[in-house]
Amino acid sequence: MRVAAVPSGAQRDALLAIACSRNECLPTILAAPIFDYMPRATHAEPVTSTYHANIQYRRIIGVPRAINPLAIEALDCFTTQITLRRFAERPDAILPTMGGQTGLNLAKELSESGILAKYGIELIGAKLPSIDRAEDRELFKQAMQRIGLKVPLSGTATNVEEALDVANMIGRFPLIIRPAFTCGGAGGGIAYNVEEFKVMIQEGIDASMTNQVLVEMSLIGWKEYELEVMRDLNDNVTIICSIENVDPMGVHTGDSITVAPAQTLTDKEYQRLRDASILSINPVDGDMIIIEMNPRVSRSSALASKATGFPIAKMAAKLACGYTLDQIPNDITRMTPASFEPSIDYVVTKIPKFTFEKFPGAKPTLSTMMKSVGEVMAMGRTWQESFNKAMRGMEEGLDGWDLPKNWKPLTKDQIQYTLRVPGPNRFIGIRQAFDDGLSVDEIFELTNIDRWWLAQMKELVDVTDWLKTNKLADLDTEDFTNLKKKGFSDSQIARHTVSTELEICSARIAPDLAPSQKRDETCAAVFETGCTELEARAARIALGVIPSYKRVDTCAAEFEADTPYMYSCYDGDCESNPTDVAKVLILGGGPNRIGQGIETAGYETIMLNCNPETVSTDYDTSSRLYFEPVTIEDVLNVIERERPEGIIVQFGGQTPLKIALDLERYLKANPIPAASGNGNVRIWGTSPESIDRAEDRDQWMQLLTKLDIKQPAGGSCRTEEEAMAKAHELGFPVMIRPSYVLGGRGMEVVYNDEDLKRYLTFAVEVDSNRPVLVDKYLDRATELDIDALCDKNGDVVICGIMEHIEQAGVHSGDSACSIPTQTLSDEVLATVRKWTIQVAKELNVVGLINIQTVPFVAKAVGHPIAKYASLAMAGRTLAEIGLTEEPIPKNHVAVKEVVLPFNKFVGCDTLLGPEMRSTGEVMGIDKTFAAAYAKAAICAGQKLPKSGKVLMTFADKDKPASVELARQLGNLGFGLVATTGTAKALRAAGIPCESVLKIHEGRPNPMDMIKNAEIAMIMLTSTGDEVDRTDGKDLRRLALSEGIPTVTTIAGAKATVAALTAMREGPLIQTAIQDYFPDYYDDSIKLIMQ
């Protein structure tokens, strides 16, 4: 029997199913466009190895995930094509429930189109009738009513007129719109009036694959709960976890703070909930109503798995293969079956992360459509403890539930609005409301958040007020213990108390620093008043108040379990049992194949992270996992408990890098002997000082000047006058940004004095402590990303050179890119290689340089790069590792494309720029660039047309390049429509086209043509002027809402035309990634299979 899994581009749990099938000796095939995550024998993980060597167990097929006819064609091809070995894949079954909504929708189309019947393929896990009953809003409603469960007053509609009839039947606004067969509430929302309602209905119909929406009576203010339920073929059922939303109904569960287990239910209410899920409770009378259910694993499943230690996806895959719950052993206790319901004696809190500032024009409000881009999770013995820990893990400059350092107090009206209208800062607003004297009842009336949660928060505020009346020296053991049990960080304690022994403590903690530097440099979290975090830490430890670590064991310690999965608390009885072998601590959510590389080198691996959606936080990805915030306090606590030989900070993104210098200083001032006896604990790889040289703008510019490497002209400016003068000196356009930015935060290309004044007035604050950087914008330049490996001897090998498809000025995280490069000369590439080696040697890099693209590069070149980097950090040379020259693909091209969430942020422009907005990535691979780009574009959700009219409107500087594009499109049979200036340029070159007025010129204009369904695709570039910021934005937003693919760069247009040409030449052939690297072998497979 062969099993195929169809995951979405972002669903890691799908890979657990593959792993499960491999354990049961079922050959498996993964159909996916993703490159970040790959399966292994017992677990799915983000990796930088392309795949494992056991090809007979699994083949990876890159299949477009977009739900359109081409996707069905691709999977039809996948089921029949002859591989390089001349064997048809022809799976016996497809497991769709591991791939999120994409997997379900694609399975439904495959089944209804007759493809599954054609090839005798069975759906397992969820049959088509089950998928329909769960996802079709009307069928679900009928099913619930048949079994006697209440649902909200509602009705389904397939057009606006039917929806208005349902609205009249319900009789009052607001109304909830829920499209069928969508994920994350896409296309849905809350309508407060008829005009909003009509717009939302049409958007919901367009978003639904079945063009169906549910119009539902509003339950805003009700309490929302969710249960993770597993059922086997014998109708055995087990409740894995109950989850309660802190926010009441009206906020998507992915955007709400959620807590497991549920906290505010009576036992009777909870027992009622065990019979249904998801559901809502009226806080007034306890009435219960069913909202929806998912016949698949979801984001909540990942949260529940991390919260309980119960591997939901793995168990679900076994059930799909025919096992029953009582036949599957619990991985953790090894004494109980999976039918034994998990029981937890701690509280888990998940807090979502938002980036509304990246989408100007979009209102920062929360509704039934999910808008969060990430989340953090924390565990504690109480909700207060887990809540405070989660808040400090948010990477938002918070050290707990407090007002941010630079928080601007809200007025009374602003506070009321912030509390009444759900938004990303609602809980910070609640904090100010308590500080301003509002009572629990007053805040409840504004928010409808259950009084129990508000009372818990008020208690935290009261403790903070008490803390402000004490000096650090006044706190005794009981005080510290009680504070830590409520989740207060050392940094919070430091800020709210005053040290009487500042100079003595500072001198002991950081003796190498001058007195004037001590308060600023002993710790990053030093504020204007109070003492330092490290002073509070020293006082706490001196009193013997240290954390204990509990194991997540699924059974509340009822059975003995040796789970390598820990969280911290302060109630004694530590269960961590650290070893005294050689080991290394890995910080953050980076590619955890690095752990396998370390283990291959003979080290035990310890992971520390707090992201429940990252598989590096699964308990079996390392020797031990600590689910803790990545802060200086929590990292030091684990270091002092485990005493590893090395710490790796390079693989966890910006968060570990931000604490690297503080960590290094602490370890130098307070040496900690390694548990193995091999020296002291130290940071492995590139030194924090070198990392700081690369991160600090001024130091980086000095480094490039020293190496005589060209860089854009520019400099730092500390006043508006300096910035204006620098811009005039350089000449517009200029790139402007705050110093120390991540993900292009706050970066913008400005074209004139007016743009610059607007930026300095509204986008950033500029002063002597917060300079802005003004650089010459390199217009239409080609941008590259280079990944390289360096060892202790200073040897450097380039792993991959990626050419961006979009021009410079588009953030690298938002640009498509290809390996190998497509347009660069050998001379340019030689210079790039020379500069890369110079920079790596000057910074004394050990390990990786430019880590963000490693997963893509590894898949493209066929080498486990992160594993190599970990071995280099452990002391191996590149010669010993076996990588001594750049691996350049000879017979294929790999293209990375990004997934953008503009449809969820109404009002923001869709133009790409220097600030990163993408939320995911996919990869296409083929023998040619054109075919690889076509696959990547389709995987990212672009509906590339096969015919129709293409609207072309280009800025003057891009008109010459548009001529050849238009000629190629005409040769492909597309009709051409161009605005006045572009049409003139095309006709001058002998290319016939239809002309249309720009929006500000009159009518008919492109907006009319789009609304009349006359346009199949748009290619345009921005002029950057005021007209484009209004008319151009309106055009781009309309195209987005109508689902018309829009290309906004010349380079992107060229790649798209090439892709359309490749699609016209014949079907896109899906090839297993193993066939591109037939000789690949990763020796860590031996370790994986143990």
Side-chain angles (χ1 to χ4, degrees):
M1 178 179 177
R2 314 191 73 177
V3 178
V6 186
S8 70
Q11 180 54 267
R12 295 87 160 167
D13 287 341
L15 306 179
L16 281 168
I18 304 298
C20 164
S21 296
R22 287 181 62 190
N23 277 351
E24 304 309 320
C25 299
L26 299 179
T28 58
I29 307 104
L30 171 63
I34 57 177
F35 58 82
D36 289 40
Y37 302 93
M38 302 293 287
R40 74 174 204 184
T42 58
H43 178 67
E45 58 185 323
V47 298
T48 52
S49 162
T50 38
Y51 45 78
H52 301 314
N54 294 34
I55 295 176
Q56 68 271 24
Y57 283 113
R58 181 191 69 259
R59 297 175 59 74
I60 311 300
I61 308 286
V63 174
R65 73 185 180 108
I67 305 303
N68 58 40
L70 183 58
I72 296 300
E73 291 171 13
L75 276 177
D76 191 3
C77 173
F78 156 65
T79 60
T80 60
Q81 69 170 338
I82 303 301
T83 70
L84 188 63
R85 294 170 177 76
R86 315 303 296 174
F87 291 107
E89 298 291 355
R90 301 292 282 271
D92 296 280
I94 288 181
L95 179 59
T97 56
M98 304 293 157
Q101 197 64 46
T102 302
L104 285 185
N105 291 1
L106 192 50
K108 175 180 171 65
E109 285 207 41
L110 284 169
S111 183
E112 292 180 342
S113 66
I115 291 176
L116 298 187
K118 175 181 177 182
Y119 300 112
I121 300 171
E122 178 187 3
L123 283 179
I124 60 174
K127 306 293 186 183
L128 181 61
S130 297
I131 295 173
D132 283 338
R133 277 197 297 272
E135 297 293 332
D136 183 288
R137 298 293 180 174
E138 183 62 30
L139 292 179
F140 177 74
K141 175 182 174 181
Q142 293 172 6
M144 295 303 99
Q145 290 174 335
R146 278 197 303 271
I147 60 177
L149 294 175
K150 294 177 64 175
V151 294
L153 182 62
S154 62
T156 55
T158 56
N159 56 54
V160 175
E161 291 72 24
E162 291 176 0
L164 287 170
D165 290 340
V166 177
N168 290 331
M169 179 269 292
I170 294 173
R172 61 182 175 83
F173 284 90
L175 292 168
I176 310 295
I177 293 93
R178 301 185 189 275
F181 291 92
T182 61
C183 181
I190 305 172
Y192 288 87
N193 58 57
V194 173
E195 291 305 312
E196 275 186 349
F197 180 77
K198 292 178 181 178
V199 172
M200 287 185 181
I201 288 295
Q202 191 58 58
E203 290 176 348
I205 290 171
D206 293 340
S208 169
M209 68 174 291
T210 57
N211 302 118
Q212 181 201 63
V213 296
L214 180 76
V215 180
E216 185 178 87
M217 175 186 74
S218 170
L219 299 180
I220 293 176
W222 287 45
K223 300 197 296 185
E224 185 172 354
Y225 299 88
E226 187 169 354
L227 282 93
E228 290 293 322
V229 182
M230 299 197 74
R231 174 181 174 271
D232 65 23
L233 54 82
N234 286 344
D235 211 19
N236 296 313
V237 175
T238 183
I239 308 297
I240 306 304
C241 185
S242 64
I243 302 173
E244 178 172 357
N245 289 12
V246 177
D247 290 287
M249 284 287 291
V251 176
H252 190 279
T253 187
D255 286 351
S256 175
I257 293 178
T258 57
V259 180
Q263 299 291 296
T264 69
L265 290 171
T266 65
D267 182 64
K268 182 178 179 180
E269 288 172 332
Y270 176 66
Q271 295 306 318
R272 290 173 62 204
L273 299 194
R274 289 174 58 85
D275 296 327
S277 130
I278 303 175
L279 23 84
S280 181
I281 297 289
N282 189 333
V284 177
D285 58 14
D287 193 15
M288 182 180 78
I289 284 183
I290 308 299
I291 304 300
E292 63 182 3
M293 67 88 67
N294 291 319
R296 56 176 172 84
V297 294
S298 64
R299 289 171 63 92
S300 295
S301 304
L303 173 65
S305 287
K306 301 300 189 300
T308 62
F310 190 97
I312 290 175
K314 180 178 178 180
M315 297 303 180
K318 286 180 177 283
L319 296 180
C321 292
Y323 285 86
T324 58
L325 287 164
D326 57 303
Q327 294 174 332
I328 306 173
N330 184 314
D331 277 359
I332 292 177
T333 65
R334 303 189 186 279
M335 297 177 62
T336 58
S339 55
F340 192 95
E341 290 192 0
S343 177
I344 58 179
D345 53 358
Y346 49 86
V347 181
V348 179
T349 299
K350 177 221 73 178
I351 301 180
K353 183 178 177 66
F354 302 95
T355 56
F356 279 97
E357 68 279 1
K358 289 176 177 271
F359 302 92
K363 292 186 65 175
T365 57
L366 304 180
S367 182
T368 58
M369 181 164 61
M370 193 176 84
K371 298 175 182 176
S372 62
V373 298
E375 55 199 31
V376 66
M377 187 185 98
M379 301 180 181
R381 303 296 275 185
T382 66
W383 179 69
Q384 291 175 333
E385 184 177 23
S386 66
F387 177 56
N388 252 331
K389 287 173 68 175
M391 289 298 288
R392 73 173 182 256
M394 283 291 290
E395 304 180 22
E396 298 287 349
L398 299 170
D399 52 9
W401 185 55
D402 258 324
L403 296 180
K405 179 183 176 182
N406 296 319
W407 177 257
K408 295 180 179 178
L410 303 176
T411 65
K412 180 179 179 181
D413 289 343
Q414 289 173 327
I415 276 288
Q416 290 181 345
Y417 180 87
T418 300
L419 269 57
R420 187 178 288 118
V421 180
N425 290 323
R426 191 184 210 182
F427 285 84
I428 299 299
I430 290 174
R431 177 61 197 236
Q432 183 186 323
F434 277 127
D435 288 345
D436 290 350
L438 270 69
S439 68
V440 165
D441 286 338
E442 288 173 319
I443 295 176
F444 170 77
E445 292 300 325
L446 291 168
T447 64
N448 281 320
I449 293 174
D450 192 277
R451 289 181 176 84
W452 187 89
W453 301 113
L454 296 174
Q456 294 288 307
M457 288 185 254
K458 179 61 167 65
E459 188 174 304
L460 292 176
V461 174
D462 293 342
V463 171
T464 301
D465 291 341
W466 168 84
L467 192 57
K468 291 176 180 178
T469 66
N470 287 269
K471 296 179 179 178
L472 181 64
D474 295 335
L475 301 181
D476 58 21
T477 300
E478 183 178 358
D479 293 332
F480 264 114
T481 300
N482 289 333
L483 287 167
K484 302 306 285 185
K485 284 185 175 181
K486 293 185 180 298
F488 280 81
S489 65
D490 290 341
S491 177
Q492 282 178 293
I493 296 171
R495 283 194 297 111
H496 296 309
T497 58
V498 178
S499 173
T500 57
E501 303 175 76
L502 173 61
E503 297 302 326
I504 297 174
C505 291
S506 295
R508 181 178 64 78
I509 294 170
D512 56 320
L513 298 178
S516 61
Q517 296 176 296
K518 289 186 186 350
R519 290 184 63 82
D520 293 328
E521 298 195 33
T522 53
C523 178
V526 178
F527 291 73
E528 288 79 1
T529 60
C531 56
T532 70
E533 176 181 1
L534 295 181
E535 290 171 4
R537 175 183 179 81
R540 170 174 60 79
I541 293 175
L543 292 171
V545 181
I546 59 175
S548 58
Y549 292 92
K550 302 294 185 182
R551 292 180 181 260
V552 175
D553 59 10
T554 77
C555 62
E558 184 175 346
F559 298 93
E560 185 176 351
D562 190 30
T563 324
Y565 180 12
M566 266 80 69
Y567 67 94
S568 67
C569 62
Y570 281 83
D571 68 351
D573 191 23
C574 185
E575 301 171 358
S576 61
N577 300 326
T579 66
D580 58 3
V581 302
K583 49 193 170 183
V584 60
L585 173 64
I586 303 166
L587 301 184
N592 70 344
R593 278 284 295 209
I594 57 179
Q596 293 167 22
I598 294 293
E599 289 169 353
T600 304
Y603 290 88
E604 190 177 86
T605 57
I606 304 159
M607 185 74 69
L608 187 150
N609 198 12
C610 58
N611 182 355
E613 295 297 329
T614 301
V615 271
S616 60
T617 50
D618 277 352
Y619 65 84
D620 57 356
T621 63
S622 55
S623 304
R624 273 185 305 290
L625 165 67
Y626 287 85
F627 212 104
E628 295 291 303
V630 186
T631 67
I632 189 74
E633 173 185 346
D634 299 285
V635 171
L636 284 175
N637 286 342
V638 172
I639 288 173
E640 291 179 341
R641 172 63 58 180
E642 289 283 352
R643 296 189 291 132
E645 289 186 19
I647 306 164
I648 295 178
V649 299
Q650 290 185 359
F651 296 98
Q654 197 72 14
T655 305
L657 297 182
K658 287 191 293 188
I659 67 170
L661 271 175
D662 292 322
L663 193 58
E664 178 91 338
R665 288 171 180 151
Y666 184 91
L667 293 174
K668 284 183 177 179
N670 305 271
I672 300 174
S676 64
N678 298 326
N680 295 326
V681 177
R682 63 183 180 86
I683 294 178
W684 277 7
T686 308
S687 72
E689 289 80 6
S690 291
I691 292 172
D692 193 49
R693 287 183 70 191
E695 294 286 320
D696 181 273
R697 179 67 176 176
D698 290 334
Q699 292 189 65
W700 174 248
M701 294 175 69
Q702 293 168 12
L703 182 147
L704 295 182
T705 301
K706 175 182 176 182
L707 297 176
D708 194 26
I709 294 177
K710 294 180 181 179
Q711 57 185 304
S716 300
C717 304
R718 287 172 167 77
T719 65
E720 182 176 330
E721 292 73 22
E722 286 183 16
M724 194 66 69
K726 177 61 70 173
H728 282 270
E729 175 190 333
L730 297 171
F732 290 105
V734 295
M735 178 82 76
I736 187 166
R737 74 195 86 182
S739 55
Y740 279 94
V741 297
L742 173 65
R745 183 73 60 87
M747 295 173 64
E748 191 172 323
V749 178
V750 296
Y751 293 86
N752 49 50
D753 287 350
E754 183 181 344
D755 282 349
L756 183 56
K757 288 179 180 178
R758 172 187 52 79
Y759 178 90
L760 296 173
T761 302
F762 299 107
V764 298
E765 293 182 44
V766 54
D767 59 34
S768 58
N769 295 319
R770 289 186 291 271
V772 295
L773 309 172
V774 181
D775 294 334
K776 179 61 181 175
Y777 172 55
L778 303 180
D779 190 22
R780 287 169 285 181
T782 298
E783 187 169 344
L784 306 175
D785 262 303
I786 301 97
D787 277 5
L789 279 172
C790 320
D791 65 20
K792 63 182 180 182
N793 296 337
D795 293 328
V796 181
V797 172
I798 291 174
C799 302
I801 300 178
M802 291 143 281
E803 180 178 353
H804 289 205
I805 293 170
E806 280 72 31
Q807 73 276 1
V810 173
H811 191 279
S812 61
D814 283 353
S815 175
C817 65
S818 71
I819 295 179
T821 60
Q822 299 296 304
T823 68
L824 301 180
S825 67
D826 291 341
E827 180 182 2
V828 169
L829 291 174
T831 301
V832 166
R833 292 183 175 104
K834 174 186 173 184
W835 286 352
T836 301
I837 293 171
Q838 284 181 292
V839 169
K841 287 179 177 288
E842 176 65 23
L843 290 173
N844 296 313
V845 172
V846 178
L848 273 169
I849 187 169
N850 193 31
I851 305 160
Q852 62 182 358
T853 53
V854 164
F856 168 61
V857 175
K859 304 295 184 300
V861 304
H863 284 269
I865 294 173
K867 174 189 170 183
Y868 292 168
S870 66
L871 292 172
M873 284 185 252
R876 300 274 184 89
T877 65
L878 291 174
E880 292 171 336
I881 292 169
L883 186 70
T884 56
E885 60 182 33
E886 181 181 346
I888 303 175
K890 303 296 185 184
N891 301 312
H892 70 271
V893 177
V895 173
K896 179 208 80 173
E897 183 57 288
V898 301
V899 178
L900 295 158
F902 291 124
N903 61 322
K904 295 192 174 185
F905 295 90
V906 178
C908 76
D909 202 340
T910 63
L911 278 178
L912 300 178
E915 184 154 21
M916 180 177 165
R917 297 172 177 177
S918 61
T919 55
E921 299 171 320
V922 296
M923 182 177 107
I925 185 169
D926 208 293
K927 293 180 180 179
T928 67
F929 168 80
Y933 184 81
K935 288 181 180 179
I938 297 165
C939 291
Q942 297 181 36
K943 300 177 182 178
L944 298 180
K946 295 182 178 181
S947 61
K949 293 181 180 180
V950 178
L951 172 65
M952 306 184 79
T953 174
F954 292 99
D956 289 344
K957 64 182 180 181
D958 297 319
K959 284 183 172 67
S962 70
V963 172
E964 183 57 29
L965 291 173
R967 182 174 286 112
Q968 293 177 33
L969 286 168
N971 291 339
L972 289 173
F974 287 95
L976 301 177
V977 180
T979 51
T980 308
T982 304
K984 182 179 179 181
L986 297 183
R987 288 169 180 159
I991 300 173
C993 66
E994 181 181 342
S995 183
V996 65
L997 297 172
K998 289 187 175 181
I999 296 172
H1000 69 278
E1001 294 174 341
R1003 301 179 74 173
N1005 58 46
M1007 302 278 279
D1008 298 308
M1009 297 189 75
I1010 290 173
K1011 291 178 180 178
N1012 292 333
E1014 297 179 56
I1015 301 298
M1017 185 166 62
I1018 300 174
M1019 291 183 174
L1020 60 84
T1021 58
S1022 171
T1023 59
D1025 58 17
E1026 186 61 36
V1027 171
D1028 185 75
R1029 283 198 294 270
T1030 55
D1031 292 356
K1033 175 183 173 181
D1034 290 343
L1035 176 65
R1036 291 183 286 269
R1037 286 299 312 185
L1038 178 61
L1040 177 70
S1041 67
E1042 296 294 327
I1044 298 173
T1046 304
V1047 185
T1048 59
T1049 65
I1050 280 289
K1054 290 178 179 178
T1056 300
V1057 171
L1060 293 171
T1061 303
M1063 292 165 58
R1064 185 65 58 86
E1065 291 172 349
L1068 299 175
I1069 303 301
Q1070 315 306 319
T1071 303
I1073 198 169
Q1074 286 90 339
D1075 290 342
Y1076 292 104
F1077 308 104
D1079 299 324
Y1080 178 87
Y1081 180 73
D1082 182 355
D1083 58 6
S1084 65
I1085 190 69
K1086 297 176 182 177
L1087 176 71
I1088 294 166
M1089 297 302 293
Q1090 290 175 358

